[in-house]
Amino acid sequence: MAVERTLSIIKPDATARNITGKINAVFEASGLRIVAQRRIHLSKRMAGQFYAVHAERSFFDELTDYMSSAPVVVQVLEGENAVTRNREVMGATNPANAEAGTIRALYGQNVQENSVHGSDSPENAAIEIAFFFAQTDIVG
Ligand code: CMP
C-alpha cells in the first residue's frame, strides 16, 4: 500500500468546543500521522477560494460564512492510503448518516457543522495541501 498525504481541516464547530485534541487522538489511533498543523482564522474570501468547487451550490455562502466564523486547524495527515483512510475515519458528510465511532458521528453537529474536512482524492489532496502549506512546513 502507498504512503500518502491528505489535507484535513478541523472546523470552527470543533475549535469552538475545544476538542481539537480529541479529534487528533482519533486520527493518531487510526494510524494517521499529523505531519503539519497550523491554527488559522480564514477570511471569507480565502474560504471561498478553498471551496471554489462548491461555488454554484445553494449552501456556498453559508459554508464560507461558517468556515470564516472562528479559527480552524489545517493539517497534513500521512499514512497508508491516507486519503481513503481519513474519509473512513471522518465518516459521512452528514453526521446523522455517519458510522458509529467516526469523528462526525462522535462530534459532528449537522451537515454543515460536521467538525472536519478531508480531501476526496490524491489529486485534490495535493492541491489542497499546497493551498495551505509549503513543502518545508511538512515534516514526516
Ligand atoms: P466538506 O467535506 O468540508 O465539504 C464541503 C462542505 O460543505 C461539507 O463538508 C459540509 O460542511 C458542507 N455541506 C455539504 N452539504 C451541505 C448542505 N446540504 N448544507 C450545508 N452545508 C453542506
Side-chain angles (χ1 to χ4, degrees), residues 84-97:
T84 302
R85 183 80 191 109
N86 185 37
R87 293 183 72 77
E88 290 166 358
V89 168
M90 289 193 300
T93 303
N94 187 342
N97 302 327

Side-chain angles (χ1 to χ4, degrees), residues 11 51 54 59 62-63 93 104 111-112 114 116-118:
K11 295 186 178 184
Y51 279 118
H54 296 307
F59 56 80
E62 201 184 316
L63 173 63
T93 303
R104 285 167 170 162
V111 72
Q112 177 171 270
N114 61 357
V116 281
H117 165 82

Side-chain angles (χ1 to χ4, degrees), residues 21-137:
K22 287 182 175 167
I23 290 174
N24 279 345
V26 178
F27 290 139
E28 291 181 340
S30 74
L32 292 164
R33 301 179 74 84
I34 301 161
V35 295
Q37 179 165 258
R38 190 165 79 247
R39 183 176 171 105
I40 57 175
H41 196 140
L42 291 173
S43 63
K44 184 170 165 78
R45 180 186 163 85
M46 202 171 171
Q49 287 169 343
F50 181 77
Y51 279 118
V53 66
H54 296 307
E56 303 307 319
R57 300 287 191 90
S58 58
F59 56 80
F60 181 71
D61 194 49
E62 201 184 316
L63 173 63
T64 54
D65 273 343
Y66 162 62
M67 290 298 290
S68 57
S69 66
V72 298
V73 176
V74 294
Q75 356 177 249
V76 180
L77 306 180
E78 183 180 84
E80 302 222 326
N81 292 326
V83 172
T84 302
R85 183 80 191 109
N86 185 37
R87 293 183 72 77
E88 290 166 358
V89 168
M90 289 193 300
T93 303
N94 187 342
N97 302 327
E99 257 183 60
T102 61
I103 291 170
R104 285 167 170 162
L106 287 166
Y107 303 119
Q109 299 185 301
N110 55 57
V111 72
Q112 177 171 270
E113 296 170 336
N114 61 357
S115 299
V116 281
H117 165 82
S119 307
D120 64 3
S121 67
E123 295 72 26
N124 283 337
I127 294 167
E128 293 184 354
I129 289 169
F131 188 85
F132 289 111
F133 294 100
Q135 275 306 317
T136 48
D137 294 331

